[in-house]
Amino acid sequence: MDLLDEKEFLYKICNAVVPIPKPVWQALPQTFFRRKILGAGEFFLRAGKEATELAIVLSGVLKESYQTAKGDEYVKSYIFPGEFTGSYFDLLNQGPSTCSIRTLQEVTLYVAPFSEFLELSQRDTIWKDFRLRLVELLFCKKAKREFELLTMDAKDRYLALRQEKPELETLLTQIQLASYLRITPVSLSRIKKSLRKN
């Protein structure tokens, strides 16, 4: 994908949140979104550091996770092309980040300073609507994740995930997939084996 195609893809992602007239989009400063490439295993945001950037993923996959004092990791979410990342809670909190965001493979992002995004949303009604809708989408994603973890058993969580994002099994390892489902890789293997039998 060349730069022109990337910019068009970026526009389509933002336009899917709320309709953004082309003149409004074209009025954005050329430097508002900065293209950033991270290699596999690099951090976009490290827990303990201040979150300052909102990003849109063009290619690759990132992992948002929490780590306990004992070193146990809990996967909050995987972020795929066309999705936003940056840990919105930490961006608003403006303190040390509670979350780490790390690449699983080489990733191309378009990154904007969150402070500039806030200023833009305060002076332009289109971008204000964009910000409000983005918050709604993130809230719905979080609520859905909580619902599944609290009310579904492991098999149903796996089936729901496979239906929503069938590409996950080719993008994630068995360990990564199991971690997201909050089960062991052995349990995931048993679930898959049971489904194949049925």
Side-chain angles (χ1 to χ4, degrees):
M1 189 184 296
D2 61 30
L3 286 175
L4 285 176
D5 288 338
E6 284 185 0
K7 289 292 179 69
E8 186 60 26
F9 183 51
L10 187 65
Y11 172 67
K12 286 180 180 178
I13 294 168
C14 292
N15 195 59
V17 177
V18 294
I20 302 171
K22 276 284 189 176
V24 172
W25 178 258
Q26 290 164 351
L28 278 177
Q30 287 292 316
T31 56
F32 186 78
F33 283 108
R34 178 173 55 88
R35 189 174 187 266
K36 186 172 189 176
I37 296 177
L38 296 175
E42 287 192 59
F43 284 92
F44 174 69
L45 175 65
R46 193 187 292 265
K49 302 292 184 181
E50 185 180 354
T52 60
E53 296 177 318
L54 182 68
I56 300 171
V57 183
L58 265 76
S59 65
V61 182
L62 299 99
K63 175 179 66 177
E64 296 184 355
S65 64
Y66 299 113
Q67 193 167 43
T68 68
K70 293 181 180 180
D72 297 321
E73 183 184 55
Y74 291 94
V75 178
K76 174 185 172 186
S77 183
Y78 288 105
I79 311 299
F80 298 94
E83 297 183 339
F84 292 78
T85 190
S87 186
Y88 206 82
F89 168 79
D90 291 312
L91 287 167
L92 291 173
N93 197 39
Q94 295 184 317
S97 174
T98 59
C99 172
S100 286
I101 303 173
R102 194 172 189 178
T103 65
L104 299 183
Q105 54 197 234
E106 183 176 278
V107 168
T108 300
L109 306 164
Y110 270 92
V111 177
F114 188 65
S115 58
E116 292 184 22
F117 174 66
L118 286 181
E119 289 174 11
L120 182 65
S121 68
Q122 287 164 2
R123 66 173 185 263
D124 188 300
T125 55
I126 296 290
W127 290 107
K128 180 181 179 182
D129 291 345
F130 179 93
R131 181 188 169 200
L132 290 174
R133 182 57 182 152
L134 181 59
V135 170
E136 289 174 351
L137 292 171
L138 293 172
F139 172 79
C140 289
K141 182 178 180 180
K142 180 178 184 294
K144 181 176 181 293
R145 170 83 163 142
E146 289 175 350
F147 173 79
E148 290 175 350
L149 287 173
L150 293 172
T151 67
M152 292 182 177
D153 62 22
K155 180 181 177 182
D156 286 339
R157 291 201 301 275
Y158 171 68
L159 289 171
L161 185 64
R162 195 168 70 173
Q163 182 175 3
E164 182 184 0
K165 289 189 177 293
E167 72 276 15
L168 277 188
E169 295 198 71
T170 60
L171 294 171
L172 302 179
T173 66
Q174 181 97 337
I175 292 173
Q176 290 166 342
L177 195 58
S179 176
Y180 181 73
L181 293 167
R182 300 281 173 86
I183 58 177
T184 66
V186 172
S187 295
L188 180 56
S189 291
R190 287 176 183 152
I191 290 169
K192 288 182 176 181
K193 186 175 181 181
S194 171
L195 290 171
R196 282 196 296 269
K197 284 182 178 179
N198 294 333

